[in-house]
Amino acid sequence: MADTLKCLIIGSGPAGYTAAIYASRAGLTPVLFTGKEPGGQLTITTDVENYPGYPDGITGPEMMEDFRKQAERFGTEVRYELISKVDFSGDIHTVWTESGEEIKANTVIISTGASAKWLGLESEQRLNNKGVSACAVCDGFFFRGKEVAVVGGGDTAAEEATYLAKLCPKVHLLVRRDELRASKIMQDRVFNTANIEVHWNTETVEVLGTEEVEGMKVINNQTQEISTIPIKGFFVAIGHKPNTEIFKGWIDMDKTGYLKTVPGTSRTNVAGVFASGDAQDNVYRQAVTAAGTGCMAALDAERYLVEHGII
Ligand code: NDP
């Protein structure tokens, strides 16, 4: 790939593919690098029922196939490779694939997403998508009328627990310390919701079940007492990690690694480099909001190319 690309997109979730659809329709002939997990976080989800335009719902992997096909239909080149290094020091940006190929581009759209953190239990992994989830807004609906648990003590856990409390008769919130890390307002919401039971100093030993989640074994880390609680849904909400490691030193980010953009735009601190999706959003984190910011990034890239006389 000797020529300088007009538009290079890193990441293949809703943000990356939406950027690709807009960029290819605008004639930017984008090349999209999928990364290690083509399709992104949605490929580890089962049914998606809250993405507009799919009245009967769709599975996450199928939806991402649709996104890819739509991007390819307008000429996006999809490459199943990981970008492992970047150099944003010049007017023309350079990136390297994992296999060492050097690629130059006038604009780069970052849509590398974020990954949910997991506890690291074998049972958690085995029952993933069978009652274990890292997204209450995505999967909570499937557990309406059932008893569930949320692990974590931050804003995400508090938000997920209060969300689930509207659908489920009982929500167990497992907190490993004797206090929540969540903001005061979120803590108040948790404490004022009658059907949330907070289990302090409590850690998960095992998620129970073979075909689906049937319960959990937990330990009080002060008394060492072990108990078993029947539940159908086990939501892990111990934080996300944005996949932004390779941009350190180039793109401004907050202390947890989320990329900073100029409010109301997808522009980063580097001219010609734009950020979209969960890599720059730790608040909404939805497929539809990621897609929206992917669209913004493609439009911002197109404007940049026009302003610089490249197209
Ligand atoms: P945080 O890092 O804030 O909290 C993670 C929580 O998970 C902590 O309570 C932590 O415990 C707990 N935890 C971490 N590892 C484990 C483990 N192995 N076992 C059990 N518990 C564990 O992550 P969040 O996702 O909650 O929030 C990230 C950022 O996003 C924050 O800045 C938050 O304010 C923001 N946010 C804002 C929202 C909003 O404004 N609406 C909504 C959601 C998030 P401990 O406290 O002991 O470390």
PDB file of all heavy atoms in Angstrom, residues 199-205 217-229:
ATOM      1  N   HIS A 199     -24.541  -6.079  49.257  1.00  0.00           N
ATOM      2  CA  HIS A 199     -23.755  -7.043  50.048  1.00  0.00           C
ATOM      3  C   HIS A 199     -22.355  -6.448  50.181  1.00  0.00           C
ATOM      4  O   HIS A 199     -21.582  -6.469  49.223  1.00  0.00           O
ATOM      5  CB  HIS A 199     -23.678  -8.398  49.339  1.00  0.00           C
ATOM      6  CG  HIS A 199     -25.013  -9.044  49.099  1.00  0.00           C
ATOM      7  ND1 HIS A 199     -25.485 -10.101  49.837  1.00  0.00           N
ATOM      8  CD2 HIS A 199     -25.984  -8.770  48.198  1.00  0.00           C
ATOM      9  CE1 HIS A 199     -26.676 -10.462  49.398  1.00  0.00           C
ATOM     10  NE2 HIS A 199     -27.004  -9.661  48.391  1.00  0.00           N
ATOM     11  N   TRP A 200     -22.036  -5.906  51.350  1.00  0.00           N
ATOM     12  CA  TRP A 200     -20.725  -5.273  51.552  1.00  0.00           C
ATOM     13  C   TRP A 200     -19.634  -6.316  51.722  1.00  0.00           C
ATOM     14  O   TRP A 200     -19.903  -7.441  52.132  1.00  0.00           O
ATOM     15  CB  TRP A 200     -20.758  -4.363  52.793  1.00  0.00           C
ATOM     16  CG  TRP A 200     -21.782  -3.268  52.716  1.00  0.00           C
ATOM     17  CD1 TRP A 200     -22.947  -3.174  53.429  1.00  0.00           C
ATOM     18  CD2 TRP A 200     -21.738  -2.107  51.864  1.00  0.00           C
ATOM     19  NE1 TRP A 200     -23.628  -2.030  53.085  1.00  0.00           N
ATOM     20  CE2 TRP A 200     -22.903  -1.358  52.128  1.00  0.00           C
ATOM     21  CE3 TRP A 200     -20.835  -1.630  50.913  1.00  0.00           C
ATOM     22  CZ2 TRP A 200     -23.197  -0.157  51.476  1.00  0.00           C
ATOM     23  CZ3 TRP A 200     -21.122  -0.434  50.262  1.00  0.00           C
ATOM     24  CH2 TRP A 200     -22.281   0.288  50.546  1.00  0.00           C
ATOM     25  N   ASN A 201     -18.423  -5.921  51.466  1.00  0.00           N
ATOM     26  CA  ASN A 201     -17.243  -6.796  51.662  1.00  0.00           C
ATOM     27  C   ASN A 201     -17.445  -8.171  51.024  1.00  0.00           C
ATOM     28  O   ASN A 201     -17.035  -9.189  51.597  1.00  0.00           O
ATOM     29  CB  ASN A 201     -16.944  -6.986  53.165  1.00  0.00           C
ATOM     30  CG  ASN A 201     -16.693  -5.651  53.844  1.00  0.00           C
ATOM     31  OD1 ASN A 201     -15.854  -4.878  53.403  1.00  0.00           O
ATOM     32  ND2 ASN A 201     -17.445  -5.368  54.889  1.00  0.00           N
ATOM     33  N   THR A 202     -18.070  -8.172  49.887  1.00  0.00           N
ATOM     34  CA  THR A 202     -18.453  -9.455  49.291  1.00  0.00           C
ATOM     35  C   THR A 202     -17.806  -9.649  47.928  1.00  0.00           C
ATOM     36  O   THR A 202     -17.829  -8.754  47.089  1.00  0.00           O
ATOM     37  CB  THR A 202     -19.995  -9.534  49.184  1.00  0.00           C
ATOM     38  OG1 THR A 202     -20.540  -9.391  50.500  1.00  0.00           O
ATOM     39  CG2 THR A 202     -20.447 -10.851  48.571  1.00  0.00           C
ATOM     40  N   GLU A 203     -17.234 -10.819  47.744  1.00  0.00           N
ATOM     41  CA  GLU A 203     -16.591 -11.146  46.466  1.00  0.00           C
ATOM     42  C   GLU A 203     -17.189 -12.436  45.920  1.00  0.00           C
ATOM     43  O   GLU A 203     -17.692 -13.267  46.676  1.00  0.00           O
ATOM     44  CB  GLU A 203     -15.073 -11.322  46.675  1.00  0.00           C
ATOM     45  CG  GLU A 203     -14.409 -10.015  47.074  1.00  0.00           C
ATOM     46  CD  GLU A 203     -12.932 -10.182  47.387  1.00  0.00           C
ATOM     47  OE1 GLU A 203     -12.247 -10.926  46.657  1.00  0.00           O
ATOM     48  OE2 GLU A 203     -12.479  -9.577  48.374  1.00  0.00           O
ATOM     49  N   THR A 204     -17.098 -12.576  44.609  1.00  0.00           N
ATOM     50  CA  THR A 204     -17.669 -13.760  43.971  1.00  0.00           C
ATOM     51  C   THR A 204     -16.643 -14.885  43.961  1.00  0.00           C
ATOM     52  O   THR A 204     -15.495 -14.684  43.568  1.00  0.00           O
ATOM     53  CB  THR A 204     -18.058 -13.449  42.509  1.00  0.00           C
ATOM     54  OG1 THR A 204     -18.776 -12.222  42.506  1.00  0.00           O
ATOM     55  CG2 THR A 204     -18.897 -14.546  41.904  1.00  0.00           C
ATOM     56  N   VAL A 205     -17.084 -16.053  44.389  1.00  0.00           N
ATOM     57  CA  VAL A 205     -16.222 -17.233  44.332  1.00  0.00           C
ATOM     58  C   VAL A 205     -16.474 -17.957  43.014  1.00  0.00           C
ATOM     59  O   VAL A 205     -15.557 -18.362  42.317  1.00  0.00           O
ATOM     60  CB  VAL A 205     -16.504 -18.186  45.517  1.00  0.00           C
ATOM     61  CG1 VAL A 205     -15.619 -19.433  45.435  1.00  0.00           C
ATOM     62  CG2 VAL A 205     -16.328 -17.466  46.838  1.00  0.00           C
ATOM     63  N   LYS A 217     -21.909 -18.254  44.157  1.00  0.00           N
ATOM     64  CA  LYS A 217     -21.321 -18.525  45.463  1.00  0.00           C
ATOM     65  C   LYS A 217     -20.469 -17.314  45.806  1.00  0.00           C
ATOM     66  O   LYS A 217     -19.608 -16.912  45.007  1.00  0.00           O
ATOM     67  CB  LYS A 217     -20.451 -19.783  45.384  1.00  0.00           C
ATOM     68  CG  LYS A 217     -20.093 -20.349  46.749  1.00  0.00           C
ATOM     69  CD  LYS A 217     -19.050 -21.433  46.625  1.00  0.00           C
ATOM     70  CE  LYS A 217     -19.673 -22.765  46.280  1.00  0.00           C
ATOM     71  NZ  LYS A 217     -18.619 -23.827  46.253  1.00  0.00           N
ATOM     72  N   VAL A 218     -20.750 -16.695  46.957  1.00  0.00           N
ATOM     73  CA  VAL A 218     -20.018 -15.477  47.322  1.00  0.00           C
ATOM     74  C   VAL A 218     -19.385 -15.633  48.706  1.00  0.00           C
ATOM     75  O   VAL A 218     -19.822 -16.460  49.512  1.00  0.00           O
ATOM     76  CB  VAL A 218     -20.949 -14.229  47.307  1.00  0.00           C
ATOM     77  CG1 VAL A 218     -21.481 -13.968  45.908  1.00  0.00           C
ATOM     78  CG2 VAL A 218     -22.078 -14.347  48.310  1.00  0.00           C
ATOM     79  N   ILE A 219     -18.350 -14.815  48.930  1.00  0.00           N
ATOM     80  CA  ILE A 219     -17.669 -14.885  50.230  1.00  0.00           C
ATOM     81  C   ILE A 219     -17.603 -13.493  50.842  1.00  0.00           C
ATOM     82  O   ILE A 219     -17.352 -12.505  50.128  1.00  0.00           O
ATOM     83  CB  ILE A 219     -16.250 -15.498  50.089  1.00  0.00           C
ATOM     84  CG1 ILE A 219     -15.589 -15.657  51.465  1.00  0.00           C
ATOM     85  CG2 ILE A 219     -15.357 -14.678  49.169  1.00  0.00           C
ATOM     86  CD1 ILE A 219     -14.351 -16.545  51.456  1.00  0.00           C
ATOM     87  N   ASN A 220     -17.889 -13.428  52.133  1.00  0.00           N
ATOM     88  CA  ASN A 220     -17.676 -12.170  52.854  1.00  0.00           C
ATOM     89  C   ASN A 220     -16.194 -12.137  53.228  1.00  0.00           C
ATOM     90  O   ASN A 220     -15.718 -13.008  53.971  1.00  0.00           O
ATOM     91  CB  ASN A 220     -18.563 -12.125  54.103  1.00  0.00           C
ATOM     92  CG  ASN A 220     -18.383 -10.815  54.848  1.00  0.00           C
ATOM     93  OD1 ASN A 220     -17.259 -10.430  55.198  1.00  0.00           O
ATOM     94  ND2 ASN A 220     -19.479 -10.124  55.090  1.00  0.00           N
ATOM     95  N   ASN A 221     -15.454 -11.142  52.677  1.00  0.00           N
ATOM     96  CA  ASN A 221     -14.001 -11.153  52.862  1.00  0.00           C
ATOM     97  C   ASN A 221     -13.570 -10.691  54.258  1.00  0.00           C
ATOM     98  O   ASN A 221     -12.377 -10.681  54.564  1.00  0.00           O
ATOM     99  CB  ASN A 221     -13.297 -10.372  51.744  1.00  0.00           C
ATOM    100  CG  ASN A 221     -13.781  -8.940  51.648  1.00  0.00           C
ATOM    101  OD1 ASN A 221     -14.244  -8.370  52.642  1.00  0.00           O
ATOM    102  ND2 ASN A 221     -13.675  -8.346  50.473  1.00  0.00           N
ATOM    103  N   GLN A 222     -14.528 -10.341  55.140  1.00  0.00           N
ATOM    104  CA  GLN A 222     -14.208 -10.024  56.531  1.00  0.00           C
ATOM    105  C   GLN A 222     -14.422 -11.238  57.424  1.00  0.00           C
ATOM    106  O   GLN A 222     -13.603 -11.581  58.263  1.00  0.00           O
ATOM    107  CB  GLN A 222     -15.092  -8.862  57.036  1.00  0.00           C
ATOM    108  CG  GLN A 222     -14.919  -7.580  56.235  1.00  0.00           C
ATOM    109  CD  GLN A 222     -13.489  -7.061  56.273  1.00  0.00           C
ATOM    110  OE1 GLN A 222     -12.951  -6.764  57.336  1.00  0.00           O
ATOM    111  NE2 GLN A 222     -12.862  -6.968  55.105  1.00  0.00           N
ATOM    112  N   THR A 223     -15.572 -11.899  57.227  1.00  0.00           N
ATOM    113  CA  THR A 223     -15.909 -13.041  58.100  1.00  0.00           C
ATOM    114  C   THR A 223     -15.531 -14.387  57.464  1.00  0.00           C
ATOM    115  O   THR A 223     -15.588 -15.415  58.124  1.00  0.00           O
ATOM    116  CB  THR A 223     -17.429 -13.059  58.377  1.00  0.00           C
ATOM    117  OG1 THR A 223     -18.090 -13.268  57.118  1.00  0.00           O
ATOM    118  CG2 THR A 223     -17.920 -11.760  58.987  1.00  0.00           C
ATOM    119  N   GLN A 224     -15.198 -14.370  56.171  1.00  0.00           N
ATOM    120  CA  GLN A 224     -14.898 -15.587  55.378  1.00  0.00           C
ATOM    121  C   GLN A 224     -16.124 -16.480  55.216  1.00  0.00           C
ATOM    122  O   GLN A 224     -15.999 -17.636  54.781  1.00  0.00           O
ATOM    123  CB  GLN A 224     -13.738 -16.408  56.004  1.00  0.00           C
ATOM    124  CG  GLN A 224     -12.472 -15.621  56.266  1.00  0.00           C
ATOM    125  CD  GLN A 224     -11.981 -14.832  55.048  1.00  0.00           C
ATOM    126  OE1 GLN A 224     -12.008 -15.323  53.947  1.00  0.00           O
ATOM    127  NE2 GLN A 224     -11.590 -13.586  55.261  1.00  0.00           N
ATOM    128  N   GLU A 225     -17.268 -15.972  55.559  1.00  0.00           N
ATOM    129  CA  GLU A 225     -18.492 -16.778  55.414  1.00  0.00           C
ATOM    130  C   GLU A 225     -18.852 -16.900  53.942  1.00  0.00           C
ATOM    131  O   GLU A 225     -18.870 -15.918  53.204  1.00  0.00           O
ATOM    132  CB  GLU A 225     -19.635 -16.097  56.187  1.00  0.00           C
ATOM    133  CG  GLU A 225     -20.881 -16.938  56.282  1.00  0.00           C
ATOM    134  CD  GLU A 225     -22.065 -16.119  56.814  1.00  0.00           C
ATOM    135  OE1 GLU A 225     -21.822 -15.083  57.477  1.00  0.00           O
ATOM    136  OE2 GLU A 225     -23.202 -16.511  56.525  1.00  0.00           O
ATOM    137  N   ILE A 226     -19.155 -18.134  53.531  1.00  0.00           N
ATOM    138  CA  ILE A 226     -19.526 -18.379  52.125  1.00  0.00           C
ATOM    139  C   ILE A 226     -21.024 -18.601  52.052  1.00  0.00           C
ATOM    140  O   ILE A 226     -21.604 -19.289  52.898  1.00  0.00           O
ATOM    141  CB  ILE A 226     -18.764 -19.610  51.576  1.00  0.00           C
ATOM    142  CG1 ILE A 226     -17.280 -19.243  51.404  1.00  0.00           C
ATOM    143  CG2 ILE A 226     -19.362 -20.089  50.256  1.00  0.00           C
ATOM    144  CD1 ILE A 226     -16.429 -20.260  50.704  1.00  0.00           C
ATOM    145  N   SER A 227     -21.681 -17.994  51.075  1.00  0.00           N
ATOM    146  CA  SER A 227     -23.105 -18.264  50.897  1.00  0.00           C
ATOM    147  C   SER A 227     -23.441 -18.433  49.419  1.00  0.00           C
ATOM    148  O   SER A 227     -22.704 -17.987  48.551  1.00  0.00           O
ATOM    149  CB  SER A 227     -23.959 -17.159  51.534  1.00  0.00           C
ATOM    150  OG  SER A 227     -23.446 -15.893  51.195  1.00  0.00           O
ATOM    151  N   THR A 228     -24.561 -19.090  49.182  1.00  0.00           N
ATOM    152  CA  THR A 228     -25.029 -19.322  47.812  1.00  0.00           C
ATOM    153  C   THR A 228     -26.341 -18.580  47.619  1.00  0.00           C
ATOM    154  O   THR A 228     -27.237 -18.685  48.450  1.00  0.00           O
ATOM    155  CB  THR A 228     -25.226 -20.838  47.576  1.00  0.00           C
ATOM    156  OG1 THR A 228     -23.961 -21.463  47.754  1.00  0.00           O
ATOM    157  CG2 THR A 228     -25.720 -21.124  46.178  1.00  0.00           C
ATOM    158  N   ILE A 229     -26.429 -17.820  46.551  1.00  0.00           N
ATOM    159  CA  ILE A 229     -27.640 -17.023  46.301  1.00  0.00           C
ATOM    160  C   ILE A 229     -28.171 -17.394  44.910  1.00  0.00           C
ATOM    161  O   ILE A 229     -27.410 -17.362  43.931  1.00  0.00           O
ATOM    162  CB  ILE A 229     -27.326 -15.506  46.356  1.00  0.00           C
ATOM    163  CG1 ILE A 229     -26.709 -15.139  47.714  1.00  0.00           C
ATOM    164  CG2 ILE A 229     -28.576 -14.679  46.080  1.00  0.00           C
ATOM    165  CD1 ILE A 229     -26.183 -13.719  47.802  1.00  0.00           C
TER     166      ILE A 229
END
